[in-house]
Amino acid sequence: MVVLFGILWVSVLLTATTGVSLLPDPSTIVYEGQARFTVLSTRLIRLEWSATKEFIDGKTWLVQSRNIQPTPPAFNVTRNDTHLKIETTYITLEYLRNAATTFSRHNIRVTIRVNIAKGETVIWNAIPNEEYDGNLLGTIRTLDGDADSKLALDCRNQPRNDLHCTYGVISRRGYALVDDTHQPQIDNDPKWPWIINKQYSPPASSLCQAVSVNERRTCGPSNKTNQHDCELRGCCFQSPSSCFYSSQAQQDLYLFGHGRAYSQALYEFTRLAGSIPLPPRYIFGVFFSRYWAYAEYEERQIVTEYIQHDVPLDVLVTDMDWHITFYKQASEGKKDQAGQDIGWSGFTFDEHLYPSHQKFLQWCKQLGLKNTLNVHPASGIQPWEEKYKEMAVAMGIDPSTSHYIPFNITDKHFTSAWTSIVLNALQDAGIDLWWLDWQQGEEGWMNDIPYTNPTFWLNHVFFTDPYFKNNRPALLHRWGGLGNHRYQVGFSGDVIPSWDTLSYQPHFTATAANVGYGFWSHDLGGHTREPDPELYTRWLQWGAFSPMFRTHCTKDANNDRRLWTYPWTYQNNLARFTRLRQALIPYLYTAARRTYDSGLSVVLPVYYYYPENDEAYSYSNQYFFGSNILVSPISQPVNQSTGLVENWPMWFPPEFQWVNFFTGDLPSSSSTKQSFTIDEMPVYAQIGSIIPLLPEPRSSRDRIGRAQQIPQTLLLYTLIGGSPKGRGHVYDDDGTTIAYKDSTNITTAVTRFDYTVSGNTLQFTAAIGSFPKFPSSRSYEIQLRGVFPATSVSINNTFLPFEPFNELINGQDGTTNGYTYDGSTLSIIIYIRQPVSTSQTLQIQVQLSDSISHPYLVQVPTSFVGLLARCQSAKARLDYEWGIKTVYMDDYPLLLDAAATGLRITHSPSTAKDELNKFFAERMTGACDEIANKISNLDSNVRTILLAQLQCNSFIYK
């Protein structure tokens, strides 16, 4: 998959264009009576019907282009006396030529060849709701108030009509249907495309009565529609909530007949509905957020605390208390002139908290931080706002009246004044990202334009604001419906902390890939109350391997997400995964570029790559993170009697061998149930993967604001796993502008890495790309994980000196090139500290002391690295008994020896094989015997936990 996907990704990247044509090639359009069919690809067909033969050719809320491939697809058209037939390799469409009514089972039939080799087909012939069977689902507006894992994504089972529940464009049955009928149209204003205000007349009652009950096709995404909204769409209504198409209803449908070629379906969807934009690089960094009335000096202190605790930070989020609020008056029930709770909306910094917000924002920027503000805009501009007078004049209101300026987001004049006078001024002062926290309802704000909602339109307005010019826009907001993938990133709302809630989020996030909404961010740790430390730890582990990493919580003195406010026994784990998240940015940013090119989200359901395997669907909380990493976040507490999450199920696609990202464990079969401590997480990569990471910085100060920087140094984390070859790549651009879309100039770079092993010689190559803003030189740290020590290492034919690992601190002490060996991870580490020209190919040769397939390196299923870490944890656990139920080290020397094995190898790499032999043959057996039988006064519960965690059954009774 690494090779195959790499080829596809490069091809798409090289052929990407900055401009798209809206209209399809005329040769792809077929007219028949009152119908029009457009063959967009061999798998995607547009089906239109109009009693007046008037069809839509402009942009809609959803559709941005109907010319989705460079050359017209191949297809055949035949007619006889009764039927039209359109046939591609994958689809056959048959239509009754004299049909006088809209599409129904009486006049249309589409056969989709799901699996040509097996002769598998499926038929769509306009039977109501049949297209939803087998759909792999999409997403919903928000998880606000969610406390469990049962929030329905199957829209037929979703009782709420304000969630914009959306089905996916893929289905296990083989086809999906997207209805674009009477969806809002967008004008062609090149500066700021705007919604066209258009309503439709309800049909005559006779046309509604002509459709039998069992043939009524739902008009709109929900069957819970009120009469007013239904009739605005031009549809039939029957009380209490049935909205359906009449016999003469206009139709505009897109049939995705991709079978189970899900990746192709998403690619063509994003050609039709617009690419998923590449967010600014900083978006993938570490966010701090808390609903709290912080003053400037307190936020400065929080940033200082991040530095003091050596924890990364990239984005500082300030919730609504940055602006003037009137909590006391609001608590007494006072409303503002708009009828909203007074102080909920606001656009003026509270000078009591921020004496000079401009200086504070610039201070953040000097540190490398990005600034985010929360906004609730529904109250418009109230008289106390700093920009009230200027806005009033712009809107023709006499400022002396103190009459507020109503919020009218569909009015382009109001919106232009609001953004340019109010929002853009704050952006000029230093605001980088708006957190658009709309909570004022989904109805009544859109001037009765059918199918619209304020969430989608606000996303469009903020994202397409001309203020951005060539800079890359981004915003933080909820989902507004199909097409919202063009406006990233997502904010999933205020969830209630629980194990069920955590369990739901990976599945929810991955499933959103089916509608292209690939950058959900969640309140890590939940929102409404303090999670217990174990739950928070697992939440941050999931967050490290999610699209965005954003902690947040509601206003409560006992509710905080700063890592150092949790018990110290959890703090190292919390900090480790937060640091890992920042380190993953090069890999994640590379995956995000793939998302722009291909439509495949960074968190992707396993069935995209393995659509014919039942396990790819049943292991629904498992997902691909980028193209190389397989993740299954743990979402249940440890068993208190063993300290383990036991029998955690994972499925490993059989096409590849997989290696544990942290420990080097190699699963013994495709389906396994494994056990994990609180320090461990099920993350695996294909053997041979080279994962680009950020290396450890020189100081804790350097962890602040790293996300937005083009890396000057890369860590190439190479997971050998016994594989004689491997590869990886990293993508770079300027990280801030839309130049990445321009294929006519060199604005991006892809650096490729690969290695091969022949005998005991490993050759590692880095072929480096560049662009004008790319660093002219770069340093590297290359970790070859799961190998024995090297006897020599050379770079471009120059031999490197060996450096004792224990004398270095994360490799930062040296200034010259060198290599070392870490016995705790069985890794050769090559430090290329002297920057290498990015126009130069890097050739490294490593002479290994033994085979990469030695049994101690590929031992199944338990690796040395994982067991070593557990031995060290066991030693610490026994230490913590001191003064409680004290035990003495005299009783467990072999456990101490086992825990120190990695360090002994580090001190003397040539002893690696002997040390590993003793570790497995003597020390682990002896350590288990000590714990089981020889440590006096050991608490029985602690004994049981340590025996389980050290897998002593496999050593004592083997």
Side-chain angles (χ1 to χ4, degrees), residues 321 570 590 623 801 859:
D321 289 326
Y570 291 90
T590 301
Y623 59 86
Q859 187 157 336

Side-chain angles (χ1 to χ4, degrees), residues 160-180:
R160 293 173 55 183
N161 62 4
D162 65 339
L163 292 180
H164 315 313
C165 187
T166 308
Y167 281 103
V169 298
I170 60 174
S171 169
R172 199 173 183 188
R173 287 187 68 209
Y175 76 92
L177 193 71
V178 172
D179 189 348
D180 203 37

Side-chain angles (χ1 to χ4, degrees), residues 42-43 87-92 111-114 116 257-259:
T42 56
R43 298 178 185 266
E87 194 159 20
T88 75
T89 303
Y90 300 100
I91 293 174
T92 298
T111 302
I112 298 98
R113 285 175 278 284
V114 177
I116 294 176
H258 290 79

Side-chain angles (χ1 to χ4, degrees), residues 205-388:
S205 59
S206 60
L207 300 180
C208 297
Q209 294 166 2
V211 184
S212 63
V213 173
N214 62 353
E215 293 187 357
R216 292 178 178 175
R217 294 181 50 244
T218 301
C219 176
S222 171
N223 59 1
K224 305 171 185 66
T225 306
N226 62 53
Q227 183 171 357
H228 176 73
D229 288 344
C230 179
E231 292 180 348
L232 285 175
R233 302 170 183 172
C235 293
C236 305
F237 181 80
Q238 180 173 322
S239 183
S241 61
S242 176
C243 187
F244 60 95
Y245 289 115
S246 75
S247 63
Q248 295 291 300
Q250 186 163 346
Q251 294 282 270
D252 191 354
L253 311 175
Y254 291 84
L255 191 140
F256 288 74
H258 290 79
R260 287 184 282 277
Y262 304 143
S263 297
Q264 186 66 21
L266 261 292
Y267 176 76
E268 294 187 1
F269 170 71
T270 53
R271 302 313 98 180
L272 175 75
S275 296
I276 303 168
L278 176 60
R281 189 191 299 266
Y282 75 83
I283 285 290
F284 302 107
V286 175
F287 284 59
F288 170 77
S289 180
R290 186 188 185 197
Y291 180 17
W292 198 256
Y294 285 119
E296 174 185 338
Y297 52 83
E298 291 173 309
E299 293 212 289
R300 287 175 181 262
Q301 178 58 33
I302 288 172
V303 175
T304 302
E305 289 173 5
Y306 270 87
I307 297 172
Q308 291 171 338
H309 289 89
D310 197 20
V311 175
L313 181 63
D314 298 292
V315 183
L316 186 63
V317 182
T318 308
D319 209 324
M320 62 170 283
D321 289 326
W322 66 271
H323 62 70
I324 299 171
T325 56
F326 303 89
Y327 282 124
K328 186 174 182 179
Q329 295 181 47
S331 70
E332 296 167 350
K334 185 171 182 179
K335 305 293 184 181
D336 60 25
Q337 292 185 43
Q340 303 288 327
D341 289 344
I342 191 168
W344 190 247
S345 293
F347 301 96
T348 304
F349 266 92
D350 187 336
E351 292 185 356
H352 297 296
L353 301 178
Y354 297 89
S356 175
H357 68 270
Q358 297 93 338
K359 290 184 179 179
F360 170 66
L361 296 174
Q362 291 309 309
W363 177 80
C364 290
K365 291 198 176 304
Q366 289 170 10
L367 287 172
L369 294 173
K370 295 294 184 178
N371 298 297
T372 300
L373 291 184
N374 173 284
V375 288
H376 304 112
S379 289
I381 305 300
Q382 297 290 324
W384 58 78
E385 299 287 4
E386 178 184 3
K387 298 292 185 178
Y388 169 74

Side-chain angles (χ1 to χ4, degrees), residues 182 196-201 231-234 446-450:
H182 288 176
I196 297 172
N197 192 339
K198 184 176 178 62
Q199 288 98 20
Y200 301 88
S201 301
E231 292 180 348
L232 285 175
R233 302 170 183 172
M446 294 299 297
N447 203 23
D448 270 350
I449 304 174

Side-chain angles (χ1 to χ4, degrees), residues 8-236:
L8 171 63
W9 187 84
V10 174
S11 173
V12 172
L13 177 61
L14 293 177
T15 58
T17 57
T18 56
V20 294
S21 171
L22 173 62
L23 298 176
D25 188 294
S27 67
T28 64
I29 301 174
V30 179
Y31 291 92
E32 184 60 53
Q34 293 155 305
R36 182 172 78 166
F37 304 101
T38 307
V39 184
L40 300 172
S41 78
T42 56
R43 298 178 185 266
L44 177 56
I45 295 182
R46 186 187 189 193
L47 307 89
E48 298 172 274
W49 195 93
S50 171
T52 61
K53 298 184 180 180
E54 296 177 359
F55 303 105
I56 301 298
D57 288 323
K59 289 185 178 181
T60 70
W61 192 285
L62 171 66
V63 175
Q64 304 297 293
S65 172
R66 299 182 183 90
N67 190 356
I68 68 170
Q69 56 185 50
T71 58
F75 65 97
N76 294 317
V77 178
T78 57
R79 290 180 172 89
N80 59 26
D81 291 342
T82 60
H83 284 82
L84 163 76
K85 179 184 284 189
I86 301 173
E87 194 159 20
T88 75
T89 303
Y90 300 100
I91 293 174
T92 298
L93 182 151
E94 299 166 283
Y95 178 65
L96 186 65
R97 296 188 64 185
N98 62 355
T101 61
T102 194
F103 296 136
S104 73
R105 65 184 179 89
H106 302 291
N107 59 30
I108 193 166
R109 174 188 174 99
V110 182
T111 302
I112 298 98
R113 285 175 278 284
V114 177
N115 189 318
I116 294 176
K118 295 182 178 180
E120 181 184 355
T121 62
V122 65
I123 293 171
W124 176 80
N125 60 352
I127 295 174
N129 301 323
E130 191 177 54
E131 64 267 23
Y132 304 135
D133 296 338
N135 191 282
L136 290 169
L137 310 179
T139 197
I140 54 178
R141 180 174 63 89
T142 182
L143 299 180
D144 279 312
D146 180 38
D148 56 38
S149 56
K150 303 176 180 64
L151 198 61
L153 293 179
D154 188 333
C155 305
R156 293 172 293 186
N157 302 327
Q158 178 50 254
R160 293 173 55 183
N161 62 4
D162 65 339
L163 292 180
H164 315 313
C165 187
T166 308
Y167 281 103
V169 298
I170 60 174
S171 169
R172 199 173 183 188
R173 287 187 68 209
Y175 76 92
L177 193 71
V178 172
D179 189 348
D180 203 37
T181 307
H182 288 176
Q183 292 291 316
Q185 298 176 51
I186 305 296
D187 67 25
N188 57 4
D189 184 340
K191 184 178 180 182
W192 204 356
W194 207 255
I195 195 168
I196 297 172
N197 192 339
K198 184 176 178 62
Q199 288 98 20
Y200 301 88
S201 301
S205 59
S206 60
L207 300 180
C208 297
Q209 294 166 2
V211 184
S212 63
V213 173
N214 62 353
E215 293 187 357
R216 292 178 178 175
R217 294 181 50 244
T218 301
C219 176
S222 171
N223 59 1
K224 305 171 185 66
T225 306
N226 62 53
Q227 183 171 357
H228 176 73
D229 288 344
C230 179
E231 292 180 348
L232 285 175
R233 302 170 183 172
C235 293
C236 305

